[in-house]
Amino acid sequence: MLASRPAVHPIEYPPEATENPRRVRMKDVQGMGGTTGGLALRLCQFIFAAAALCVMASTDDFSSATAFRYLVAAAGLQSLWSLALALLDIYALLVKRCLRNSRVLCLFTIGDGITCTLTFAAACASAGITVLLGNDLDNCKVSQCIRFETATGMAFLSWFAISPSFFLNFWSLATK
Amino acid sequence: MLASRPAVHPIEYPPEATENPRRVRMKDVQGMGGTTGGLALRLCQFIFAAAALCVMASTDDFSSATAFRYLVAAAGLQSLWSLALALLDIYALLVKRCLRNSRVLCLFTIGDGITCTLTFAAACASAGITVLLGNDLDNCKVSQCIRFETATGMAFLSWFAISPSFFLNFWSLATK
């Protein structure tokens, strides 16, 4: 047989461009769910929200103002949510699982957005009334005013701690 | 020459995977900068913020409460920002240019975030005081109370209108 078989020249496939290099991807940024930074943020949120709840509930006449009652409710919801997610983070860290599922991220983002908005609204409303009573009307027992201010400050700190969680979850949901 | 040349079998390259199908991309979603939806949102923000400013400034004693003075300032800032971006949207629509530059998007997102937070805080503080005066203390002239409530409602509506702008800008910044 004269005709030789064609030689085989394997052609290498070009590497598949699975990633668009312009896009920013965040894999394991501290502060996201399932990281130690995320757990620290959740614990901060829980501690500040619980402190706001306890300090406000310990005043005699918090129930006389709607905004103060609302602060107690919002801080309660915030502390429950943050405690639940802190426990989930501890579990994820223990079993070394990543909490980056799209549905889970979507749920966390919506929950964080709602609790963040409620806590911030409660903190702002309480701050408005505390400033009105303490500065504008000068009609506030000193011991009470300090407690109102402390509870409001704690609610603001809780909001400061939940904002990074919300934005990191939103960002990783967008870049998913 | 007995040895034949190997036959050429062109191998088709697999189509390059330039886009990761799992990621969500938003090219021309109505509501983003440079779209008619975005312009409508900006105009809504401007109108509601300007209405809140005018109604609150028209009351006799808004300056007696810090939160009401703050609402006037925040609504003023919000209306200026929204008017500026509405004009920019009109320009972009007229010259058919797209406002998707990374730096521009970053600037819009930060500005929207700040004005959104300030307006929401002012609306919540005013709502807290309005409810305290109107419902809890029952110590409010009817004509005044209605104006306080109207201004607070307008500030909330302005916040409702600015939130989609902020989240759309943040989302397109993340997926850029």
Side-chain angles (χ1 to χ4, degrees), chain A residues 59-114:
Chain A
T59 57
D60 297 330
D61 51 357
F62 83 91
S63 59
S64 59
T66 308
F68 291 156
R69 289 203 298 271
Y70 172 49
L71 181 82
V72 169
L77 179 70
Q78 174 72 71
S79 53
L80 286 179
W81 171 259
S82 296
L83 183 65
L85 290 208
L87 293 176
L88 204 62
D89 273 349
I90 291 172
Y91 170 75
L93 283 171
L94 286 178
V95 301
K96 298 195 195 310
R97 277 200 64 175
C98 174
L99 299 171
R100 300 289 147 71
N101 183 296
S102 272
R103 282 188 194 170
V104 171
L105 264 180
C106 191
L107 180 73
F108 286 0
T109 309
I110 292 173
D112 276 346
I114 291 172

Side-chain angles (χ1 to χ4, degrees), chain B residues 100-122:
Chain B
R100 300 289 148 71
N101 183 296
S102 272
R103 282 188 194 170
V104 172
L105 265 180
C106 190
L107 180 73
F108 287 179
T109 309
I110 292 173
D112 276 346
I114 291 172
T115 53
C116 180
T117 309
L118 291 180
T119 306
F120 186 58

